[in-house]
Amino acid sequence: MQTHNLIDGAWVGASDGATLRVTNPARDEVIAEVASVGAAETRSAIDAAWRARESWAAKTAGERGGLLSALAGLMRRDTDRLAALMTAEQGKPLAEARGEIAYAASFLSWAAEEGKRLTGDIIPASAPDKRILVLRQPVGVTGIITPWNFPAAMITRKLGPALAAGCTVVIKPAELTPLSALAIGELACEAGIPDGVVNIVTGDAATIGDALFDDDRVRKLSFTGSTRVGQLLMSKASEHLLRLSLELGGHAPFLVFDDADVGKAVAAAVACKFRNAGQTCICANRFYVQDGVYDEFVAGFTEAVSKLTVGDGAHEGVDIGPLINDAAVEKVESHVEDARSHGATVPVGGDRVHPKGLANRFYAPTLVEGMTPDMKLASEETFGPVAPVARFTAEREAIELANASEYGLAAYYFTRDASRLMRVAEALEYGIVGANDGGPSTAQAPFGGVKHSGFGREGGKYAMDEYTEIKYVSWQL
Ligand code: NAP
């Protein structure tokens, strides 16, 4: 298990020997101590990325793509090892961790090919002796800051297009899940990606973040995490006019209309809500169900939720692992208690569960009925295995409820009416809309939000825009 940082192709510890502990959230056991570096080491990483940028950008897209494909192949080869590491540091069930490794590798594979299609333009000029050329060039050294809930995929979703476009990177993974990031760094070395192209630093977030901001050689920061930290980074970025992409929090509504296939809606609701114990930025956070199918949907949902098993994600067959830390469990508890105090009922779950020999960090898969707009569940990102449900009567009412949020990442709805399908898709103020689909994430599609869920898109051809500058060359013959 790698615990040092990757700087200029070498594995190094903190200059003062400082470390930070990585804990298995299911067992509350320390599983590793990784380097905790500061501003000086971060500057060394930027130095390395700066030195490597010209030769990396000078490679052909095919050469860069070949190296990215090699990295994707190594991740697939090592799926079981990487998944076990992820489950140990993050808690998600092994099957989900394996799925995340496949998903993470798919971004590298996609970007490896897409880099070859990064074209410019030649625009007809307004004078006979002029030519107008538009070039797309790499942004340059890019800072990447990622969260703990998807320790591999949130990195590769940025790393793939950044490298394919010809950028070099300094990655700062979340303090809670650095091991997956460092393991990807090892595979990047094995794949033959040149020294300095990929650098990974772990340590105090604000210190590393400030070192990235304070260095004019860093030309872009791509961040995935909470809206609160995104806002902080945006205010810092404004001082340096640093280019930003922000993938922030979500509060996804899930609408079920009278004309929906209710069985399909229930299956999607369970998968969408309870993946990663509800700790997913696009997971459904609030359910609105039309009067005509309300009872049928709630009965099916209740039955399905009651069957979910809770335990250590390292054990095959477990559906719901631990929450990431104590604060996360306390937040979920406070949301459910708040709902109860406002008159909601809890037909399933509603409390911690205590699997034998494990940490006190497991919350039962929970259904809450009678959600009202004044409840925290209706307005805040819960980030836990809790599904609050409310009724609605009219389509317009459902859209207003769905849009009544500062967030705008993902929204879902279920209907078999073709006109409604298009009408609702257009009316939802969200960057990602699942129409009869609870799992829209895929490497070739644009992923990202509006409003307080941030800006910028990851995935597919759209991601390449985030890592390229457009240069206009006016050429007089
Ligand atoms: P977070 O607290 O915002 O942390 C995200 C990253 O930012 C971590 O690496 C963190 O480092 C770092 N960070 C914190 N303060 C910083 C600072 N002052 N300067 C520089 N970096 C700083 O978010 P989280 O709790 O890890 O992740 C959960 C959130 O991410 C949820 O809101 C979720 O919705 C969102 N998310 C969004 C997407 C999307 O695509 N839109 C995807 C996944 C998750 P430390 O860990 O070291 O504190």
Side-chain angles (χ1 to χ4, degrees), residues 9-99:
W11 292 96
V12 296
S15 53
D16 61 0
T19 57
L20 58 89
R21 289 178 166 182
V22 185
T23 304
N24 176 328
R27 305 192 157 272
D28 221 359
E29 288 166 1
V30 175
I31 52 172
E33 294 205 12
V34 304
S36 179
V37 306
E41 294 90 338
T42 306
R43 272 195 299 278
S44 299
I46 298 168
D47 291 343
W50 178 255
R51 279 195 301 274
R53 82 195 189 291
E54 274 183 13
S55 55
W56 181 248
K59 284 190 183 300
T60 65
E63 287 169 334
R64 289 195 296 267
L67 291 165
L68 279 170
S69 298
L71 174 55
L74 293 174
M75 288 185 71
R76 293 188 183 104
R77 180 198 70 187
D78 287 0
T79 296
D80 287 344
R81 179 180 69 85
L82 295 171
L85 191 64
M86 186 186 297
T87 295
E89 68 175 347
Q90 200 273 344
K92 67 178 62 181
L94 269 177
E96 287 188 28
R98 287 191 200 103

Coordinates of all heavy atoms in Angstrom, one line a residue, residues 9-99:
G9 N 7.7 11.9 -10.2 CA 8.0 10.5 -10.5 C 8.6 9.8 -9.3 O 8.9 8.6 -9.3
A10 N 8.8 10.5 -8.2 CA 9.4 9.9 -7.0 C 8.4 9.8 -5.8 O 7.5 10.7 -5.8 CB 10.6 10.7 -6.5
W11 N 8.5 8.8 -5.0 CA 7.6 8.7 -3.8 C 8.3 9.3 -2.6 O 9.3 8.8 -2.2 CB 7.2 7.2 -3.7 CG 6.4 6.7 -4.8 CD1 6.8 6.1 -5.9 CD2 5.0 7.0 -5.0 NE1 5.7 5.9 -6.8 CE2 4.6 6.4 -6.2 CE3 4.0 7.6 -4.2 CZ2 3.3 6.5 -6.7 CZ3 2.7 7.6 -4.7 CH2 2.3 7.1 -5.9
V12 N 7.7 10.3 -2.1 CA 8.3 11.1 -1.0 C 7.4 11.3 0.2 O 6.2 11.4 0.0 CB 8.9 12.5 -1.5 CG1 9.9 12.3 -2.6 CG2 7.7 13.3 -2.1
G13 N 8.0 11.4 1.4 CA 7.2 11.7 2.6 C 7.2 13.2 2.8 O 7.8 14.0 2.0
A14 N 6.6 13.6 3.9 CA 6.6 15.0 4.2 C 8.0 15.4 4.7 O 8.7 14.5 5.3 CB 5.6 15.3 5.3
S15 N 8.5 16.6 4.4 CA 9.9 17.0 4.8 C 10.0 16.9 6.3 O 11.1 16.6 6.8 CB 10.2 18.3 4.2 OG 9.3 19.3 4.6
D16 N 9.0 17.2 7.1 CA 9.1 17.1 8.5 C 8.6 15.7 9.1 O 8.4 15.6 10.3 CB 8.3 18.2 9.2 CG 6.8 18.2 8.8 OD1 6.4 17.2 8.1 OD2 6.0 19.0 9.3
G17 N 8.3 14.8 8.2 CA 7.9 13.5 8.6 C 6.4 13.4 9.1 O 6.0 12.3 9.5
A18 N 5.7 14.5 8.9 CA 4.3 14.4 9.4 C 3.4 13.4 8.6 O 3.7 13.2 7.4 CB 3.7 15.8 9.2
T19 N 2.5 12.9 9.3 CA 1.6 11.9 8.6 C 0.1 12.2 9.0 O -0.1 12.9 10.0 CB 1.9 10.5 9.0 OG1 1.8 10.3 10.4 CG2 3.3 10.0 8.5
L20 N -0.8 11.7 8.2 CA -2.2 11.7 8.6 C -2.7 10.3 8.6 O -2.4 9.5 7.8 CB -3.0 12.7 7.8 CG -3.1 12.6 6.3 CD1 -4.3 11.7 5.9 CD2 -3.3 14.0 5.7
R21 N -3.7 10.0 9.5 CA -4.2 8.7 9.7 C -5.3 8.4 8.8 O -6.2 9.3 8.6 CB -4.6 8.4 11.1 CG -3.5 8.4 12.1 CD -4.0 8.2 13.5 NE -2.9 7.8 14.4 CZ -3.1 7.6 15.6 NH1 -4.3 7.7 16.2 NH2 -2.0 7.2 16.4
V22 N -5.4 7.2 8.2 CA -6.5 6.8 7.4 C -7.2 5.7 8.2 O -6.6 4.7 8.6 CB -6.1 6.3 6.0 CG1 -7.3 5.9 5.2 CG2 -5.1 7.2 5.4
T23 N -8.5 5.9 8.4 CA -9.3 5.0 9.2 C -10.3 4.2 8.4 O -11.0 4.8 7.5 CB -10.0 5.8 10.3 OG1 -9.1 6.5 11.0 CG2 -10.8 4.9 11.3
N24 N -10.5 2.9 8.7 CA -11.6 2.1 8.1 C -12.8 2.5 8.9 O -13.0 2.3 10.1 CB -11.3 0.6 8.3 CG -12.4 -0.3 7.8 OD1 -13.5 0.1 7.8 ND2 -12.0 -1.4 7.3
P25 N -13.8 3.1 8.1 CA -15.0 3.6 8.9 C -15.9 2.5 9.4 O -16.6 2.8 10.4 CB -15.7 4.5 7.8 CG -15.2 4.0 6.5 CD -13.8 3.4 6.7
A26 N -15.8 1.3 8.9 CA -16.7 0.3 9.4 C -16.1 -0.3 10.7 O -16.9 -0.7 11.5 CB -16.7 -0.9 8.3
R27 N -14.8 -0.2 10.8 CA -14.2 -0.9 12.0 C -13.6 0.1 13.0 O -13.1 -0.3 14.0 CB -13.2 -1.9 11.5 CG -13.7 -2.9 10.6 CD -12.9 -4.1 10.3 NE -13.7 -5.2 9.8 CZ -14.3 -6.1 10.6 NH1 -14.1 -6.0 11.9 NH2 -15.1 -7.0 10.2
D28 N -13.5 1.3 12.5 CA -12.8 2.4 13.3 C -11.4 2.0 13.6 O -10.9 2.3 14.7 CB -13.6 2.6 14.6 CG -13.7 4.1 15.0 OD1 -13.1 4.8 14.2 OD2 -14.3 4.4 16.0
E29 N -10.7 1.4 12.7 CA -9.3 1.0 12.8 C -8.5 1.8 11.9 O -8.8 2.0 10.7 CB -9.1 -0.5 12.5 CG -9.7 -1.5 13.5 CD -9.8 -2.9 12.9 OE1 -9.4 -3.1 11.7 OE2 -10.4 -3.8 13.6
V30 N -7.3 2.2 12.4 CA -6.4 2.9 11.5 C -5.7 1.9 10.6 O -5.2 0.9 11.0 CB -5.3 3.6 12.4 CG1 -4.2 4.3 11.5 CG2 -5.9 4.7 13.3
I31 N -5.8 2.2 9.3 CA -5.3 1.2 8.3 C -4.0 1.7 7.7 O -3.3 0.9 7.0 CB -6.3 0.8 7.2 CG1 -6.9 2.1 6.6 CG2 -7.4 0.0 7.8 CD1 -7.8 1.8 5.4
A32 N -3.7 3.0 7.8 CA -2.5 3.5 7.2 C -2.2 4.9 7.7 O -3.1 5.6 8.3 CB -2.6 3.6 5.7
E33 N -0.9 5.3 7.6 CA -0.6 6.7 7.9 C 0.1 7.2 6.6 O 1.1 6.7 6.2 CB 0.4 6.8 9.1 CG -0.3 6.4 10.3 CD 0.4 7.0 11.6 OE1 1.2 7.9 11.4 OE2 0.0 6.5 12.7
V34 N -0.5 8.2 6.0 CA 0.0 8.7 4.7 C 0.7 10.1 5.0 O 0.5 10.7 6.0 CB -1.0 8.9 3.6 CG1 -1.8 7.6 3.4 CG2 -2.0 10.0 4.0
A35 N 1.6 10.4 4.1 CA 2.4 11.7 4.3 C 1.4 12.9 4.4 O 0.4 12.9 3.7 CB 3.2 11.9 3.0
S36 N 1.7 13.8 5.3 CA 0.9 15.0 5.4 C 1.8 16.2 5.0 O 2.6 16.7 5.8 CB 0.4 15.1 6.8 OG -0.3 16.3 6.9
V37 N 1.8 16.6 3.8 CA 2.7 17.6 3.3 C 2.1 19.0 3.4 O 1.0 19.2 3.6 CB 3.2 17.3 1.8 CG1 3.7 15.8 1.7 CG2 2.0 17.5 0.8
G38 N 3.0 20.0 3.2 CA 2.6 21.3 3.3 C 2.9 22.1 2.0 O 2.9 21.5 0.9
A39 N 3.1 23.4 2.2 CA 3.2 24.3 1.0 C 4.5 24.0 0.2 O 4.5 24.0 -1.0 CB 3.2 25.7 1.5
A40 N 5.6 23.7 0.9 CA 6.9 23.5 0.2 C 6.8 22.3 -0.7 O 7.2 22.4 -1.9 CB 8.0 23.3 1.2
E41 N 6.2 21.2 -0.2 CA 6.1 20.0 -1.1 C 5.1 20.2 -2.2 O 5.3 19.7 -3.3 CB 5.6 18.8 -0.3 CG 6.6 18.3 0.8 CD 6.4 19.0 2.1 OE1 5.8 20.1 2.2 OE2 6.9 18.4 3.1
T42 N 4.1 21.0 -1.9 CA 3.1 21.3 -3.0 C 3.8 22.1 -4.1 O 3.6 21.9 -5.3 CB 1.9 22.1 -2.4 OG1 1.3 21.3 -1.4 CG2 0.8 22.3 -3.5
R43 N 4.6 23.1 -3.7 CA 5.4 23.8 -4.7 C 6.3 22.9 -5.5 O 6.4 23.1 -6.7 CB 6.2 25.0 -4.0 CG 5.4 26.3 -3.9 CD 6.3 27.4 -3.5 NE 7.0 27.3 -2.3 CZ 6.5 27.5 -1.1 NH1 5.3 28.0 -1.0 NH2 7.2 27.3 0.0
S44 N 6.9 21.9 -4.8 CA 7.8 21.0 -5.6 C 6.9 20.2 -6.6 O 7.4 20.0 -7.7 CB 8.4 19.9 -4.7 OG 9.2 20.6 -3.7
A45 N 5.7 19.9 -6.2 CA 4.8 19.2 -7.2 C 4.5 20.1 -8.3 O 4.4 19.7 -9.5 CB 3.5 18.7 -6.5
I46 N 4.2 21.4 -8.0 CA 3.9 22.3 -9.1 C 5.2 22.5 -10.0 O 5.1 22.6 -11.3 CB 3.5 23.7 -8.5 CG1 2.2 23.5 -7.7 CG2 3.2 24.7 -9.7 CD1 1.8 24.7 -6.9
D47 N 6.3 22.6 -9.4 CA 7.6 22.7 -10.2 C 7.7 21.6 -11.2 O 8.0 21.7 -12.3 CB 8.8 22.5 -9.3 CG 9.0 23.7 -8.3 OD1 8.4 24.8 -8.6 OD2 9.8 23.6 -7.3
A48 N 7.4 20.3 -10.7 CA 7.5 19.2 -11.5 C 6.5 19.2 -12.7 O 6.8 18.9 -13.8 CB 7.3 17.9 -10.7
A49 N 5.2 19.6 -12.3 CA 4.2 19.7 -13.3 C 4.6 20.8 -14.4 O 4.3 20.6 -15.6 CB 2.9 20.0 -12.7
W50 N 5.1 21.8 -13.9 CA 5.5 22.9 -14.8 C 6.6 22.5 -15.8 O 6.6 22.7 -17.0 CB 6.0 24.1 -13.9 CG 6.5 25.3 -14.7 CD1 7.8 25.7 -14.9 CD2 5.6 26.3 -15.4 NE1 7.8 26.9 -15.7 CE2 6.5 27.2 -16.0 CE3 4.3 26.4 -15.6 CZ2 6.1 28.3 -16.8 CZ3 3.8 27.5 -16.4 CH2 4.7 28.4 -16.9
R51 N 7.6 21.8 -15.2 CA 8.7 21.3 -16.1 C 8.2 20.3 -17.1 O 8.7 20.2 -18.2 CB 9.8 20.6 -15.2 CG 10.8 21.6 -14.5 CD 12.0 20.9 -14.0 NE 11.6 19.8 -13.0 CZ 11.5 20.0 -11.7 NH1 11.6 21.2 -11.2 NH2 11.2 19.0 -10.9
A52 N 7.3 19.5 -16.7 CA 6.8 18.4 -17.6 C 5.9 18.8 -18.6 O 5.6 18.1 -19.6 CB 6.2 17.3 -16.7
R53 N 5.3 20.1 -18.5 CA 4.2 20.4 -19.3 C 4.5 20.5 -20.8 O 3.7 20.1 -21.7 CB 3.5 21.7 -18.8 CG 4.2 23.0 -19.3 CD 3.8 24.2 -18.5 NE 4.4 25.4 -19.2 CZ 5.6 25.7 -19.2 NH1 6.6 24.9 -18.7 NH2 6.0 26.7 -19.9
E54 N 5.7 21.1 -21.1 CA 6.0 21.3 -22.6 C 6.1 20.0 -23.3 O 5.6 19.8 -24.4 CB 7.2 22.1 -22.7 CG 6.9 23.6 -22.7 CD 8.2 24.5 -22.9 OE1 9.2 24.0 -23.4 OE2 8.0 25.7 -22.6
S55 N 6.9 19.1 -22.7 CA 7.2 17.8 -23.4 C 5.9 17.0 -23.5 O 5.6 16.2 -24.4 CB 8.3 17.0 -22.8 OG 8.1 16.8 -21.4
W56 N 5.0 17.1 -22.4 CA 3.8 16.3 -22.4 C 2.8 16.9 -23.5 O 2.2 16.1 -24.3 CB 3.1 16.4 -21.0 CG 1.8 15.6 -21.0 CD1 0.6 16.1 -20.8 CD2 1.6 14.2 -21.0 NE1 -0.4 15.1 -20.8 CE2 0.3 13.9 -20.9 CE3 2.5 13.1 -21.2 CZ2 -0.3 12.6 -21.0 CZ3 2.0 11.8 -21.2 CH2 0.6 11.6 -21.1
A57 N 2.8 18.2 -23.6 CA 1.9 18.8 -24.6 C 2.4 18.5 -26.0 O 1.6 18.5 -26.9 CB 1.8 20.3 -24.3
A58 N 3.7 18.3 -26.1 CA 4.3 18.1 -27.4 C 4.1 16.7 -28.0 O 4.2 16.5 -29.2 CB 5.8 18.4 -27.4
K59 N 3.7 15.8 -27.1 CA 3.4 14.4 -27.6 C 2.2 14.5 -28.5 O 1.3 15.4 -28.3 CB 3.1 13.5 -26.4 CG 4.4 13.1 -25.6 CD 4.0 12.0 -24.6 CE 5.2 11.6 -23.8 NZ 6.3 11.1 -24.5
T60 N 2.1 13.5 -29.3 CA 0.9 13.4 -30.2 C -0.3 13.0 -29.3 O -0.1 12.3 -28.2 CB 1.0 12.4 -31.3 OG1 1.2 11.1 -30.7 CG2 2.2 12.8 -32.2
A61 N -1.5 13.3 -29.7 CA -2.7 12.9 -29.0 C -2.7 11.4 -28.9 O -3.1 10.8 -27.9 CB -3.9 13.4 -29.7
G62 N -2.2 10.7 -29.9 CA -2.2 9.2 -29.9 C -1.2 8.7 -28.9 O -1.5 7.7 -28.2
E63 N -0.1 9.4 -28.7 CA 0.9 8.9 -27.6 C 0.3 9.1 -26.2 O 0.3 8.2 -25.4 CB 2.2 9.7 -27.8 CG 3.0 9.3 -28.9 CD 4.2 10.3 -29.2 OE1 4.1 11.5 -28.8 OE2 5.2 9.8 -29.8
R64 N -0.3 10.3 -26.0 CA -0.9 10.5 -24.7 C -2.1 9.5 -24.5 O -2.3 9.0 -23.4 CB -1.5 12.0 -24.6 CG -0.4 13.0 -24.5 CD -0.9 14.4 -24.1 NE -1.9 14.9 -25.0 CZ -1.6 15.8 -26.0 NH1 -0.3 16.2 -26.1 NH2 -2.5 16.2 -26.8
G65 N -2.9 9.3 -25.6 CA -4.0 8.4 -25.4 C -3.5 7.0 -25.1 O -4.1 6.3 -24.4
G66 N -2.4 6.6 -25.7 CA -1.9 5.3 -25.5 C -1.5 5.1 -24.0 O -1.8 4.0 -23.4
L67 N -0.9 6.1 -23.4 CA -0.5 6.0 -22.0 C -1.8 6.0 -21.1 O -1.8 5.3 -20.1 CB 0.4 7.2 -21.6 CG 1.8 7.1 -22.3 CD1 2.5 8.4 -22.2 CD2 2.6 5.9 -21.6
L68 N -2.8 6.8 -21.5 CA -4.0 6.8 -20.7 C -4.7 5.4 -20.8 O -5.3 4.9 -19.8 CB -5.0 7.9 -21.2 CG -4.7 9.3 -20.7 CD1 -5.6 10.3 -21.4 CD2 -5.0 9.4 -19.2
S69 N -4.7 4.9 -22.0 CA -5.3 3.5 -22.2 C -4.6 2.5 -21.3 O -5.2 1.6 -20.7 CB -5.3 3.1 -23.6 OG -6.0 4.0 -24.4
A70 N -3.2 2.6 -21.3 CA -2.4 1.7 -20.5 C -2.8 1.8 -19.0 O -3.0 0.8 -18.3 CB -1.0 2.0 -20.7
L71 N -3.0 3.1 -18.5 CA -3.4 3.2 -17.1 C -4.8 2.6 -16.9 O -5.0 1.9 -15.9 CB -3.4 4.7 -16.8 CG -3.9 5.1 -15.4 CD1 -3.2 4.4 -14.3 CD2 -3.8 6.6 -15.2
A72 N -5.7 2.9 -17.8 CA -7.1 2.3 -17.7 C -7.0 0.7 -17.6 O -7.6 0.1 -16.8 CB -7.9 2.7 -18.8
G73 N -6.1 0.2 -18.4 CA -5.9 -1.3 -18.5 C -5.4 -1.8 -17.1 O -5.8 -2.8 -16.6
L74 N -4.5 -1.1 -16.6 CA -3.9 -1.5 -15.3 C -4.9 -1.4 -14.2 O -5.0 -2.2 -13.3 CB -2.7 -0.6 -14.9 CG -1.5 -0.9 -15.9 CD1 -0.3 0.1 -15.6 CD2 -0.9 -2.3 -15.8
M75 N -5.8 -0.4 -14.2 CA -6.8 -0.3 -13.2 C -7.8 -1.5 -13.3 O -8.2 -2.1 -12.3 CB -7.6 1.0 -13.4 CG -6.8 2.2 -12.9 SD -7.7 3.8 -12.9 CE -8.8 3.5 -11.6
R76 N -8.1 -1.8 -14.6 CA -9.0 -3.0 -14.7 C -8.3 -4.3 -14.3 O -8.9 -5.1 -13.6 CB -9.4 -3.1 -16.2 CG -10.3 -2.0 -16.6 CD -10.9 -2.1 -18.0 NE -11.6 -0.9 -18.4 CZ -11.2 0.0 -19.2 NH1 -10.1 -0.1 -19.9 NH2 -12.0 1.1 -19.5
R77 N -7.0 -4.4 -14.6 CA -6.3 -5.6 -14.2 C -6.3 -5.7 -12.6 O -6.5 -6.8 -12.1 CB -4.8 -5.5 -14.6 CG -3.9 -6.6 -14.3 CD -2.4 -6.2 -14.3 NE -2.0 -5.3 -13.3 CZ -0.8 -4.7 -13.2 NH1 0.1 -5.0 -14.1 NH2 -0.6 -3.9 -12.2
D78 N -6.2 -4.6 -12.0 CA -6.1 -4.6 -10.5 C -7.4 -4.3 -9.8 O -7.4 -3.8 -8.6 CB -5.0 -3.6 -10.0 CG -3.6 -4.0 -10.3 OD1 -3.5 -5.1 -10.9 OD2 -2.7 -3.3 -10.0
T79 N -8.5 -4.5 -10.5 CA -9.8 -4.2 -9.9 C -10.0 -4.7 -8.5 O -10.4 -3.9 -7.6 CB -11.0 -4.7 -10.8 OG1 -10.9 -4.1 -12.1 CG2 -12.3 -4.4 -10.2
D80 N -9.8 -5.9 -8.3 CA -10.1 -6.5 -6.9 C -9.2 -5.8 -5.9 O -9.7 -5.5 -4.8 CB -9.8 -8.0 -6.9 CG -11.0 -8.7 -7.7 OD1 -12.0 -8.1 -8.0 OD2 -10.8 -9.9 -8.1
R81 N -7.9 -5.6 -6.1 CA -7.1 -5.0 -5.1 C -7.5 -3.5 -4.9 O -7.6 -3.1 -3.7 CB -5.6 -5.0 -5.7 CG -4.6 -4.4 -4.8 CD -3.2 -4.4 -5.3 NE -3.0 -3.6 -6.5 CZ -2.7 -2.3 -6.5 NH1 -2.6 -1.7 -5.3 NH2 -2.5 -1.6 -7.6
L82 N -7.8 -2.8 -5.9 CA -8.2 -1.4 -5.8 C -9.5 -1.3 -5.1 O -9.8 -0.4 -4.2 CB -8.3 -0.7 -7.1 CG -6.9 -0.6 -7.9 CD1 -7.2 -0.1 -9.3 CD2 -6.0 0.4 -7.2
A83 N -10.4 -2.2 -5.4 CA -11.8 -2.2 -4.8 C -11.7 -2.5 -3.3 O -12.3 -1.8 -2.4 CB -12.7 -3.2 -5.4
A84 N -10.8 -3.5 -2.9 CA -10.6 -3.8 -1.5 C -10.1 -2.6 -0.7 O -10.5 -2.3 0.4 CB -9.7 -5.0 -1.3
L85 N -9.1 -1.9 -1.4 CA -8.5 -0.7 -0.7 C -9.6 0.4 -0.5 O -9.7 1.0 0.5 CB -7.4 -0.2 -1.6 CG -6.4 0.8 -1.1 CD1 -5.7 0.3 0.1 CD2 -5.5 1.3 -2.2
M86 N -10.4 0.5 -1.6 CA -11.4 1.6 -1.5 C -12.4 1.3 -0.4 O -12.8 2.1 0.4 CB -12.1 1.7 -2.8 CG -13.1 2.8 -2.9 SD -14.1 2.9 -4.4 CE -12.8 3.1 -5.6
T87 N -12.9 0.0 -0.3 CA -13.8 -0.4 0.7 C -13.2 -0.2 2.1 O -13.9 0.3 3.0 CB -14.3 -1.8 0.5 OG1 -15.0 -1.9 -0.7 CG2 -15.2 -2.3 1.6
A88 N -11.9 -0.5 2.2 CA -11.3 -0.3 3.5 C -11.2 1.1 4.0 O -11.4 1.4 5.1 CB -9.9 -0.9 3.5
E89 N -11.0 2.0 3.0 CA -10.9 3.4 3.5 C -12.2 4.2 3.4 O -12.3 5.2 4.1 CB -9.8 4.2 2.7 CG -10.0 4.4 1.3 CD -8.9 5.3 0.6 OE1 -8.1 5.9 1.3 OE2 -8.9 5.3 -0.7
Q90 N -13.1 3.8 2.6 CA -14.3 4.6 2.3 C -15.6 3.9 2.9 O -16.5 4.6 3.2 CB -14.4 4.8 0.8 CG -15.3 6.0 0.4 CD -16.8 5.6 0.3 OE1 -17.1 4.4 0.2 NE2 -17.7 6.6 0.4
G91 N -15.6 2.6 2.9 CA -16.7 1.9 3.5 C -17.7 1.3 2.5 O -18.5 0.4 2.9
K92 N -17.7 1.7 1.2 CA -18.8 1.2 0.3 C -18.6 -0.3 0.1 O -17.5 -0.8 0.2 CB -18.8 2.0 -1.0 CG -17.6 1.8 -1.9 CD -17.7 2.6 -3.2 CE -17.8 4.1 -3.0 NZ -17.9 4.8 -4.2
P93 N -19.7 -1.0 -0.2 CA -19.7 -2.4 -0.4 C -18.7 -2.7 -1.6 O -18.6 -2.0 -2.5 CB -21.1 -2.8 -0.8 CG -22.0 -1.7 -0.1 CD -21.1 -0.5 -0.2
L94 N -18.1 -3.9 -1.5 CA -17.1 -4.3 -2.5 C -17.7 -4.3 -3.9 O -17.0 -3.9 -4.8 CB -16.7 -5.8 -2.2 CG -15.4 -5.9 -1.3 CD1 -15.2 -7.4 -1.0 CD2 -14.2 -5.2 -1.9
A95 N -18.9 -4.7 -4.1 CA -19.5 -4.8 -5.4 C -19.5 -3.3 -6.0 O -19.2 -3.1 -7.2 CB -20.9 -5.4 -5.4
E96 N -19.9 -2.4 -5.1 CA -19.9 -1.0 -5.6 C -18.5 -0.5 -5.9 O -18.3 0.3 -6.8 CB -20.6 -0.1 -4.6 CG -22.1 -0.3 -4.5 CD -22.7 0.8 -3.6 OE1 -22.2 1.9 -3.4 OE2 -23.7 0.4 -3.0
A97 N -17.6 -0.9 -5.0 CA -16.2 -0.4 -5.2 C -15.6 -1.0 -6.6 O -15.0 -0.3 -7.3 CB -15.3 -0.9 -4.1
R98 N -16.0 -2.2 -6.9 CA -15.5 -2.8 -8.2 C -16.2 -2.0 -9.3 O -15.5 -1.7 -10.3 CB -15.9 -4.3 -8.3 CG -15.1 -5.2 -7.4 CD -15.4 -6.6 -7.8 NE -14.9 -7.5 -6.7 CZ -15.8 -8.0 -5.8 NH1 -17.1 -7.9 -5.9 NH2 -15.3 -8.8 -4.8
G99 N -17.4 -1.7 -9.1 CA -18.1 -0.9 -10.1 C -17.5 0.5 -10.3 O -17.4 1.0 -11.4

